[in-house]
Amino acid sequence: MNLRIPGPTPVPDEVAQAGAAEMIDHRGPEFAAMMERVTTGVRDIFQTTNDLVILTTSGSGAMEAAVVNHLSPDEPVLVCTIGEFGKRFLELTEVYGARPTELAFEAGEPADPNRIEEALKANPQIRTVLVTHNETSTGTTNPLKDIAAAVKGAGRFLIVDAISSLSSIPVEVDNWKLDVVLSGSQKGWMVAPGLAFVSMSEESWEVQKRTTTPRFYLDLKRAQDSAARGQTPWTPAVSLFFQMDKALELIKSEGIENVYARHHRHGERVRQGMQAMGLQLFSREGFRSDTVTAVLCPEGIDVANLRKIARTEFKTVLAGGQGPLASKIFRFGHLGYCTDEDVEAGLKAVEQTLQRLEYKAPARA
Amino acid sequence: MNLRIPGPTPVPDEVAQAGAAEMIDHRGPEFAAMMERVTTGVRDIFQTTNDLVILTTSGSGAMEAAVVNHLSPDEPVLVCTIGEFGKRFLELTEVYGARPTELAFEAGEPADPNRIEEALKANPQIRTVLVTHNETSTGTTNPLKDIAAAVKGAGRFLIVDAISSLSSIPVEVDNWKLDVVLSGSQKGWMVAPGLAFVSMSEESWEVQKRTTTPRFYLDLKRAQDSAARGQTPWTPAVSLFFQMDKALELIKSEGIENVYARHHRHGERVRQGMQAMGLQLFSREGFRSDTVTAVLCPEGIDVANLRKIARTEFKTVLAGGQGPLASKIFRFGHLGYCTDEDVEAGLKAVEQTLQRLEYKAPARA
C-alpha cells in the first residue's frame, strides 16, 4: 500500500526492525546513551542549542505540553490560525483557561506577519503568540521566519507547532529565535507515532517556572530534570527510541540538506502533476507545503469515494479534508520516507482513480 | 540480557516483529478493525463489559487521566498509599487541586480494608478512593477484592491503579465493582511501553461529565467518542497497537488462567529461591506480589554494586529500590514474557553475584 497521508508516514524497514530490538531497562546505561544520541540528533535538526525534551505522546500531547507549561489561567494570548491544527491550539488555550484572541486567516492562506504585528501593537497585554508552521489540514506552510521576526521584534514569546515540518522543511530555531518548538516522530522523522519533541529557549524556562497551570505527565521541567540523568520521569516508549536512533542515522547519511531538497522536489512534482491533470491546488501559490499537497476535489466527485477507489483499486491511501474542508479537498502526503517512485505511483493512482470516476479535465484556457 | 525488572518487560520476538509491520492509516479500516480487536481482548482480561479506552501514554499518563477526568478542584479524596506508586496518585491529586487525605501504610504492608472502611466512615464528605492494586516499589499486592468491598460497600467511587497486575494477577473489574481501572502495555501484556488502558463503569461517565478539571489530550470522553468510530482523537502509537494485537493472541493461546498460574508459580519460586539463599523478603507474607519480588539487601552490600555486578558479570538486570527504599532493597521482576528458565537464570545470577560479593548466608535458626 502506498501510504500517501501526512502522517503517520511509512517507516523504513531498517527503522521498523530497529524498533524490534531486545527490550532494555529504561533506567539503565544503554537507554541513557541512546537518549543522549537521539536528543542530540533531534536538536541538531532543530538547529538549536536549546534544551530539548522527548515526551511519550503524539504531537497533540506536545501541543498540550506547550500550553500547560507556558500559559497561565486568564492570561491573554494570540493564536494565529490557518486551519485545523491552529484551531487545536486555540481550543487548548480555551480548555486551560487562557484568554485567547484568535487571528484567523482563510483556509488556504498563510498567516500575514504584518497583521500579526498589528495585532500585537493593538494588544500590548498579550505576551505570548501561538502559531502553526506547516498546516497539514490545508497544505499551507506559514512564512515562519517573517512571523518570528514580527513576534520577537515586538518582544513577545513564541510557541511554534512545527510537528509536520521539522526534519522535512528547514526550521532555524536559534536564528529565528523560536522559544518553544514542537515536532512528532510520525512525520518527517520516519518513525512510528508515539514520541514528541519540545525545544525550549532560556526564556521558556523562566516562563515555565512562573506558569501556574497544573501539569504532571507533561511537565517539561520534570522531563528536563530526568533528562539530565539520562532518563525520563515516566516509562518512555523504548521501542520508538530505538526507531528514532536508527532513523536519525538514515537522515544523517542522506544529509539533512538533501532531505530538504528531496521534500521540495517532491512538493514541486506533486503540485505540477496535480495541475497537469487539470486539478486545482487548494493553498496559495508560494506557500504550498513541501510535506503535503491539498487538492480541490473536482465538482461532481465525492472525496470519500475517490479515496475509497484509490485505496481499494490502486493501492494508494490519500487523506481527506478535515473539519469544514471534509468534502472539499483531498490531500497527498509526501513527507518522511518517500521515494520518487512513491510520488510517481501516487500521482498515477490519482489519475487512474479520476479516470475510473469519469472525470474530465477542464479545457485549458 | 535477562531483564528482571518490573517493566518494561521482555517482548516476545513475534510481538516485536508484529510491531515492525508496514505502517497504516490511523483513520482507515485496518486500524479500526485492529483497535476493535485490541479493545475487546484487553476488556476480556479486565473481566468487564465496561467501556475501555486506549491512550498513547505510559502508565503515569493513565494515572493522570484517571485523576483529571474524575476529580474536581477542592474535592476531598482518600488516597491509600503503600509505596511509591500510591504516592504518585497522591501527588497527582495535589497537583490538580483536589484535597487528598492520605491513608498510608508502612512500606511492605498491604492496605487494611478495615482501616479504609473506618476512614470513609470518619470522612463522609469523601466520595472517591484511589488505590494501587500491585505496588511494584515494595513488591506488595493489595487485597483488592476486600478493599473494593469496603469502598463500594460504603457507596464510594473507586479508582484502581492495576498497571502492574492486570493480565498477570486476576482482577475482576465487574465482580468487584471497580469504577476506573488502569493498566499499561509494558507490564504483563508483553508489549513495549507507550500504551495505557482505562476501563470505566457507567458511574465513571457520570462523574467524568461533572468533573471540572480541564483536560484535553487525556480526556476520556474524547477517547471514547473517537473509539465509537474505530479511531483515537490524536494519532495513536500504531506500532504498539500492532504489538498488542499479537500479544493478545499469545495470551489467548496460552490461556489467561495458565498465564495467572505461571505468574503465581514464578512468584512462589522466586520467593522460595531468595529465602533459600538466606535473604529476607521485604513485604508481608500473604501479600507478596506474583509480578515482582522485593528483597532486603543484606547488610554490608551496596544495592547499586549488587545490581552492577549482576548486570555486567551475570547478564541479569535487577531493579533497585525507589524513594526511601533506594539503598535498602533490590527487586526481581517476574511478569509478562518470562519463562521458568528466565526465573532460574535470574536466581542463579543473584546467587553468583552474592558469592562474588562474599556474602555469607546467616546461620539457620
Short mmCIF file of all heavy atoms in Angstrom, two decimals, chain A residues 3-52:
data_model
loop_
_atom_site.label_atom_id
_atom_site.label_comp_id
_atom_site.label_asym_id
_atom_site.label_seq_id
_atom_site.Cartn_x
_atom_site.Cartn_y
_atom_site.Cartn_z
N LEU A 3 1.28 4.63 1.19
CA LEU A 3 0.65 5.44 2.26
C LEU A 3 0.94 6.92 2.01
O LEU A 3 1.96 7.45 2.46
CB LEU A 3 1.18 4.98 3.62
CG LEU A 3 0.51 5.56 4.86
CD1 LEU A 3 -0.97 5.14 4.95
CD2 LEU A 3 1.24 5.13 6.13
N ARG A 4 0.03 7.60 1.35
CA ARG A 4 0.27 8.99 0.96
C ARG A 4 -0.61 9.93 1.79
O ARG A 4 -1.39 10.72 1.28
CB ARG A 4 0.01 9.19 -0.55
CG ARG A 4 0.92 8.38 -1.48
CD ARG A 4 2.23 9.11 -1.84
NE ARG A 4 3.01 9.50 -0.71
CZ ARG A 4 3.92 8.73 -0.06
NH1 ARG A 4 4.18 7.54 -0.44
NH2 ARG A 4 4.56 9.20 0.99
N ILE A 5 -0.49 9.78 3.12
CA ILE A 5 -1.18 10.69 4.04
C ILE A 5 -0.11 11.48 4.78
O ILE A 5 1.06 11.07 4.81
CB ILE A 5 -2.09 9.92 5.03
CG1 ILE A 5 -1.27 8.94 5.91
CG2 ILE A 5 -3.17 9.14 4.28
CD1 ILE A 5 -2.07 8.26 6.99
N PRO A 6 -0.50 12.61 5.37
CA PRO A 6 0.53 13.44 6.04
C PRO A 6 0.87 12.96 7.44
O PRO A 6 1.06 13.77 8.34
CB PRO A 6 -0.11 14.82 6.04
CG PRO A 6 -1.58 14.57 6.05
CD PRO A 6 -1.82 13.28 5.32
N GLY A 7 0.94 11.67 7.64
CA GLY A 7 1.32 11.09 8.92
C GLY A 7 0.15 10.35 9.56
O GLY A 7 -0.95 10.84 9.48
N PRO A 8 0.42 9.16 10.16
CA PRO A 8 1.74 8.52 10.21
C PRO A 8 2.26 8.21 8.81
O PRO A 8 1.50 7.92 7.91
CB PRO A 8 1.50 7.25 11.01
CG PRO A 8 0.02 7.03 11.04
CD PRO A 8 -0.61 8.35 10.84
N THR A 9 3.60 8.29 8.69
CA THR A 9 4.25 8.08 7.40
C THR A 9 4.92 6.71 7.38
O THR A 9 5.13 6.10 8.43
CB THR A 9 5.32 9.17 7.18
OG1 THR A 9 6.27 9.10 8.24
CG2 THR A 9 4.70 10.56 7.18
N PRO A 10 5.26 6.23 6.19
CA PRO A 10 5.92 4.92 6.10
C PRO A 10 7.21 4.90 6.92
O PRO A 10 7.94 5.89 6.97
CB PRO A 10 6.22 4.77 4.61
CG PRO A 10 5.23 5.66 3.92
CD PRO A 10 5.05 6.83 4.85
N VAL A 11 7.46 3.76 7.53
CA VAL A 11 8.66 3.59 8.34
C VAL A 11 9.62 2.69 7.54
O VAL A 11 9.22 1.59 7.15
CB VAL A 11 8.30 2.95 9.70
CG1 VAL A 11 9.55 2.65 10.51
CG2 VAL A 11 7.34 3.85 10.46
N PRO A 12 10.85 3.13 7.27
CA PRO A 12 11.79 2.27 6.53
C PRO A 12 12.00 0.95 7.26
O PRO A 12 11.98 0.92 8.50
CB PRO A 12 13.09 3.08 6.52
CG PRO A 12 12.71 4.48 6.83
CD PRO A 12 11.46 4.42 7.64
N ASP A 13 12.20 -0.12 6.51
CA ASP A 13 12.40 -1.44 7.12
C ASP A 13 13.46 -1.43 8.22
O ASP A 13 13.27 -2.01 9.29
CB ASP A 13 12.84 -2.46 6.06
CG ASP A 13 11.63 -2.99 5.29
OD1 ASP A 13 10.49 -2.74 5.73
OD2 ASP A 13 11.84 -3.65 4.25
N GLU A 14 14.59 -0.77 7.92
CA GLU A 14 15.67 -0.74 8.91
C GLU A 14 15.22 -0.11 10.23
O GLU A 14 15.66 -0.51 11.30
CB GLU A 14 16.83 0.11 8.40
CG GLU A 14 17.65 -0.48 7.30
CD GLU A 14 18.53 0.60 6.68
OE1 GLU A 14 18.05 1.25 5.72
OE2 GLU A 14 19.65 0.81 7.18
N VAL A 15 14.38 0.90 10.10
CA VAL A 15 13.90 1.60 11.29
C VAL A 15 12.90 0.72 12.03
O VAL A 15 12.98 0.55 13.26
CB VAL A 15 13.27 2.96 10.90
CG1 VAL A 15 12.62 3.62 12.11
CG2 VAL A 15 14.32 3.87 10.27
N ALA A 16 12.00 0.12 11.28
CA ALA A 16 11.00 -0.76 11.89
C ALA A 16 11.70 -1.92 12.61
O ALA A 16 11.35 -2.28 13.74
CB ALA A 16 10.03 -1.29 10.83
N GLN A 17 12.73 -2.47 11.97
CA GLN A 17 13.47 -3.57 12.57
C GLN A 17 14.24 -3.12 13.82
O GLN A 17 14.32 -3.85 14.80
CB GLN A 17 14.45 -4.19 11.56
CG GLN A 17 13.77 -5.13 10.58
CD GLN A 17 12.99 -6.25 11.28
OE1 GLN A 17 13.41 -6.76 12.31
NE2 GLN A 17 11.83 -6.60 10.73
N ALA A 18 14.77 -1.92 13.76
CA ALA A 18 15.49 -1.40 14.93
C ALA A 18 14.54 -1.34 16.13
O ALA A 18 14.93 -1.60 17.27
CB ALA A 18 16.07 -0.02 14.63
N GLY A 19 13.27 -1.03 15.85
CA GLY A 19 12.28 -0.95 16.93
C GLY A 19 11.97 -2.30 17.56
O GLY A 19 11.39 -2.37 18.64
N ALA A 20 12.34 -3.38 16.85
CA ALA A 20 12.07 -4.72 17.37
C ALA A 20 13.23 -5.27 18.20
O ALA A 20 13.24 -6.44 18.57
CB ALA A 20 11.76 -5.66 16.20
N ALA A 21 14.21 -4.42 18.49
CA ALA A 21 15.37 -4.88 19.28
C ALA A 21 14.93 -5.33 20.68
O ALA A 21 13.87 -4.94 21.16
CB ALA A 21 16.40 -3.76 19.39
N GLU A 22 15.77 -6.12 21.30
CA GLU A 22 15.50 -6.63 22.65
C GLU A 22 15.21 -5.47 23.62
O GLU A 22 15.93 -4.47 23.61
CB GLU A 22 16.72 -7.43 23.12
CG GLU A 22 16.48 -8.21 24.39
CD GLU A 22 17.75 -8.93 24.87
OE1 GLU A 22 18.82 -8.28 24.98
OE2 GLU A 22 17.67 -10.12 25.16
N MET A 23 14.20 -5.63 24.43
CA MET A 23 13.82 -4.58 25.38
C MET A 23 14.95 -4.35 26.39
O MET A 23 15.68 -5.28 26.74
CB MET A 23 12.54 -4.99 26.11
CG MET A 23 11.93 -3.94 27.02
SD MET A 23 11.72 -2.29 26.30
CE MET A 23 10.67 -2.65 24.90
N ILE A 24 15.10 -3.10 26.81
CA ILE A 24 16.15 -2.77 27.78
C ILE A 24 15.55 -2.01 28.97
O ILE A 24 14.42 -1.54 28.91
CB ILE A 24 17.27 -1.90 27.15
CG1 ILE A 24 16.67 -0.60 26.56
CG2 ILE A 24 18.04 -2.68 26.09
CD1 ILE A 24 17.74 0.39 26.10
N ASP A 25 16.35 -1.91 30.00
CA ASP A 25 15.98 -1.16 31.20
C ASP A 25 15.97 0.34 30.87
O ASP A 25 17.00 0.88 30.46
CB ASP A 25 17.03 -1.46 32.28
CG ASP A 25 16.78 -0.73 33.58
OD1 ASP A 25 15.71 -0.09 33.73
OD2 ASP A 25 17.66 -0.79 34.47
N HIS A 26 14.83 0.99 31.10
CA HIS A 26 14.74 2.42 30.78
C HIS A 26 15.49 3.28 31.81
O HIS A 26 15.57 4.49 31.66
CB HIS A 26 13.28 2.85 30.70
CG HIS A 26 12.54 2.71 32.00
ND1 HIS A 26 12.51 1.54 32.73
CD2 HIS A 26 11.81 3.59 32.72
CE1 HIS A 26 11.80 1.72 33.82
NE2 HIS A 26 11.36 2.95 33.85
N ARG A 27 16.00 2.64 32.84
CA ARG A 27 16.81 3.39 33.81
C ARG A 27 18.27 2.94 33.77
O ARG A 27 19.04 3.21 34.69
CB ARG A 27 16.27 3.20 35.23
CG ARG A 27 14.78 3.48 35.40
CD ARG A 27 14.51 4.84 35.99
NE ARG A 27 13.09 5.12 36.15
CZ ARG A 27 12.46 6.16 35.58
NH1 ARG A 27 13.12 7.00 34.80
NH2 ARG A 27 11.17 6.37 35.78
N GLY A 28 18.63 2.24 32.70
CA GLY A 28 20.00 1.70 32.61
C GLY A 28 20.88 2.50 31.67
O GLY A 28 20.43 3.44 31.01
N PRO A 29 22.17 2.11 31.60
CA PRO A 29 23.14 2.87 30.81
C PRO A 29 22.88 2.85 29.30
O PRO A 29 23.15 3.85 28.63
CB PRO A 29 24.48 2.20 31.15
CG PRO A 29 24.13 0.86 31.72
CD PRO A 29 22.79 1.01 32.35
N GLU A 30 22.35 1.74 28.73
CA GLU A 30 22.11 1.72 27.28
C GLU A 30 21.04 2.74 26.92
O GLU A 30 21.16 3.44 25.91
CB GLU A 30 21.61 0.34 26.79
CG GLU A 30 22.61 -0.79 26.91
CD GLU A 30 22.37 -1.59 28.18
OE1 GLU A 30 21.67 -1.08 29.09
OE2 GLU A 30 22.90 -2.71 28.27
N PHE A 31 19.99 2.80 27.74
CA PHE A 31 18.95 3.76 27.43
C PHE A 31 19.49 5.19 27.54
O PHE A 31 19.22 6.03 26.68
CB PHE A 31 17.71 3.59 28.32
CG PHE A 31 16.62 4.55 27.91
CD1 PHE A 31 15.80 4.26 26.83
CD2 PHE A 31 16.45 5.78 28.55
CE1 PHE A 31 14.83 5.16 26.39
CE2 PHE A 31 15.49 6.69 28.12
CZ PHE A 31 14.68 6.38 27.04
N ALA A 32 20.25 5.44 28.58
CA ALA A 32 20.80 6.80 28.76
C ALA A 32 21.65 7.21 27.56
O ALA A 32 21.54 8.34 27.07
CB ALA A 32 21.62 6.85 30.05
N ALA A 33 22.47 6.28 27.08
CA ALA A 33 23.32 6.60 25.92
C ALA A 33 22.46 6.85 24.68
O ALA A 33 22.71 7.78 23.91
CB ALA A 33 24.30 5.44 25.67
N MET A 34 21.44 6.03 24.50
CA MET A 34 20.57 6.20 23.33
C MET A 34 19.81 7.51 23.42
O MET A 34 19.66 8.24 22.43
CB MET A 34 19.60 5.03 23.25
CG MET A 34 18.56 5.19 22.16
SD MET A 34 17.64 3.66 21.84
CE MET A 34 16.71 3.50 23.36
N MET A 35 19.34 7.83 24.61
CA MET A 35 18.57 9.07 24.78
C MET A 35 19.44 10.28 24.46
O MET A 35 18.99 11.23 23.83
CB MET A 35 18.05 9.14 26.21
CG MET A 35 17.16 10.33 26.44
SD MET A 35 16.19 10.12 27.94
CE MET A 35 15.87 11.84 28.31
N GLU A 36 20.67 10.20 24.87
CA GLU A 36 21.62 11.28 24.57
C GLU A 36 21.82 11.42 23.05
O GLU A 36 21.77 12.52 22.51
CB GLU A 36 22.96 10.97 25.27
CG GLU A 36 24.11 11.90 24.95
CD GLU A 36 23.88 13.32 25.44
OE1 GLU A 36 23.12 13.49 26.41
OE2 GLU A 36 24.43 14.25 24.82
N ARG A 37 22.02 10.28 22.38
CA ARG A 37 22.19 10.33 20.91
C ARG A 37 20.95 10.89 20.23
O ARG A 37 21.05 11.74 19.34
CB ARG A 37 22.43 8.91 20.36
CG ARG A 37 23.81 8.36 20.54
CD ARG A 37 24.05 7.10 19.67
NE ARG A 37 23.07 6.03 19.87
CZ ARG A 37 23.15 5.10 20.83
NH1 ARG A 37 24.14 5.11 21.69
NH2 ARG A 37 22.23 4.17 20.91
N VAL A 38 19.79 10.41 20.64
CA VAL A 38 18.55 10.85 19.98
C VAL A 38 18.30 12.33 20.25
O VAL A 38 17.97 13.10 19.34
CB VAL A 38 17.35 9.98 20.45
CG1 VAL A 38 16.03 10.56 19.94
CG2 VAL A 38 17.51 8.54 19.97
N THR A 39 18.51 12.74 21.48
CA THR A 39 18.29 14.15 21.82
C THR A 39 19.22 15.05 21.01
O THR A 39 18.79 16.06 20.45
CB THR A 39 18.52 14.36 23.34
OG1 THR A 39 17.64 13.49 24.05
CG2 THR A 39 18.23 15.80 23.74
N THR A 40 20.48 14.66 20.94
CA THR A 40 21.45 15.45 20.18
C THR A 40 21.08 15.49 18.71
O THR A 40 21.12 16.54 18.06
CB THR A 40 22.86 14.85 20.36
OG1 THR A 40 23.15 14.82 21.76
CG2 THR A 40 23.91 15.67 19.64
N GLY A 41 20.71 14.34 18.16
CA GLY A 41 20.36 14.26 16.75
C GLY A 41 19.15 15.12 16.41
O GLY A 41 19.13 15.83 15.40
N VAL A 42 18.15 15.06 17.26
CA VAL A 42 16.94 15.86 17.02
C VAL A 42 17.27 17.34 17.17
O VAL A 42 16.86 18.17 16.36
CB VAL A 42 15.80 15.44 17.99
CG1 VAL A 42 14.61 16.38 17.87
CG2 VAL A 42 15.37 14.00 17.70
N ARG A 43 18.03 17.65 18.19
CA ARG A 43 18.39 19.05 18.45
C ARG A 43 19.15 19.66 17.27
O ARG A 43 18.92 20.81 16.89
CB ARG A 43 19.21 19.12 19.73
CG ARG A 43 19.30 20.52 20.31
CD ARG A 43 20.43 20.58 21.29
NE ARG A 43 20.04 20.20 22.62
CZ ARG A 43 20.70 19.33 23.38
NH1 ARG A 43 21.78 18.73 22.93
NH2 ARG A 43 20.29 19.07 24.60
N ASP A 44 20.03 18.87 16.68
CA ASP A 44 20.78 19.35 15.50
C ASP A 44 19.82 19.73 14.38
O ASP A 44 20.01 20.74 13.70
CB ASP A 44 21.74 18.28 15.00
CG ASP A 44 22.96 18.14 15.91
OD1 ASP A 44 23.14 18.99 16.80
OD2 ASP A 44 23.71 17.16 15.73
N ILE A 45 18.82 18.91 14.17
CA ILE A 45 17.88 19.17 13.07
C ILE A 45 16.98 20.35 13.42
O ILE A 45 16.53 21.10 12.55
CB ILE A 45 17.11 17.88 12.72
CG1 ILE A 45 18.11 16.88 12.12
CG2 ILE A 45 15.97 18.15 11.75
CD1 ILE A 45 17.57 15.50 11.86
N PHE A 46 16.73 20.57 14.70
CA PHE A 46 16.02 21.78 15.15
C PHE A 46 16.91 23.02 14.96
O PHE A 46 16.43 24.14 15.15
CB PHE A 46 15.64 21.67 16.64
CG PHE A 46 14.29 21.02 16.94
CD1 PHE A 46 14.00 19.73 16.53
CD2 PHE A 46 13.33 21.70 17.67
CE1 PHE A 46 12.77 19.13 16.84
CE2 PHE A 46 12.10 21.12 17.99
CZ PHE A 46 11.83 19.83 17.57
N GLN A 47 18.19 22.80 14.65
CA GLN A 47 19.16 23.90 14.53
C GLN A 47 19.15 24.76 15.79
O GLN A 47 19.00 25.99 15.73
CB GLN A 47 18.88 24.75 13.28
CG GLN A 47 18.96 23.91 11.99
CD GLN A 47 18.89 24.75 10.74
OE1 GLN A 47 19.61 25.73 10.59
NE2 GLN A 47 18.02 24.36 9.82
N THR A 48 19.33 24.08 16.91
CA THR A 48 19.29 24.81 18.18
C THR A 48 20.27 24.25 19.18
O THR A 48 20.65 23.08 19.10
CB THR A 48 17.87 24.77 18.80
OG1 THR A 48 17.82 25.67 19.91
CG2 THR A 48 17.49 23.37 19.27
N THR A 49 20.68 25.12 20.10
CA THR A 49 21.43 24.65 21.26
C THR A 49 20.53 24.70 22.50
O THR A 49 20.99 24.48 23.62
CB THR A 49 22.67 25.55 21.50
OG1 THR A 49 22.22 26.90 21.67
CG2 THR A 49 23.64 25.48 20.34
N ASN A 50 19.26 25.00 22.29
CA ASN A 50 18.30 24.99 23.41
C ASN A 50 18.15 23.59 23.99
O ASN A 50 18.47 22.60 23.35
CB ASN A 50 16.91 25.45 22.92
CG ASN A 50 16.85 26.95 22.68
OD1 ASN A 50 17.69 27.70 23.16
ND2 ASN A 50 15.84 27.37 21.92
N ASP A 51 17.58 23.54 25.19
CA ASP A 51 17.21 22.24 25.74
C ASP A 51 16.12 21.62 24.87
O ASP A 51 15.30 22.33 24.29
CB ASP A 51 16.66 22.42 27.17
CG ASP A 51 17.76 22.80 28.15
OD1 ASP A 51 18.91 22.39 27.92
OD2 ASP A 51 17.45 23.50 29.13
N LEU A 52 16.15 20.31 24.81
CA LEU A 52 15.12 19.62 24.03
C LEU A 52 14.68 18.38 24.82
O LEU A 52 15.54 17.58 25.22
CB LEU A 52 15.66 19.22 22.66
CG LEU A 52 14.61 18.58 21.75
CD1 LEU A 52 14.70 19.16 20.34
CD2 LEU A 52 14.76 17.08 21.70
#
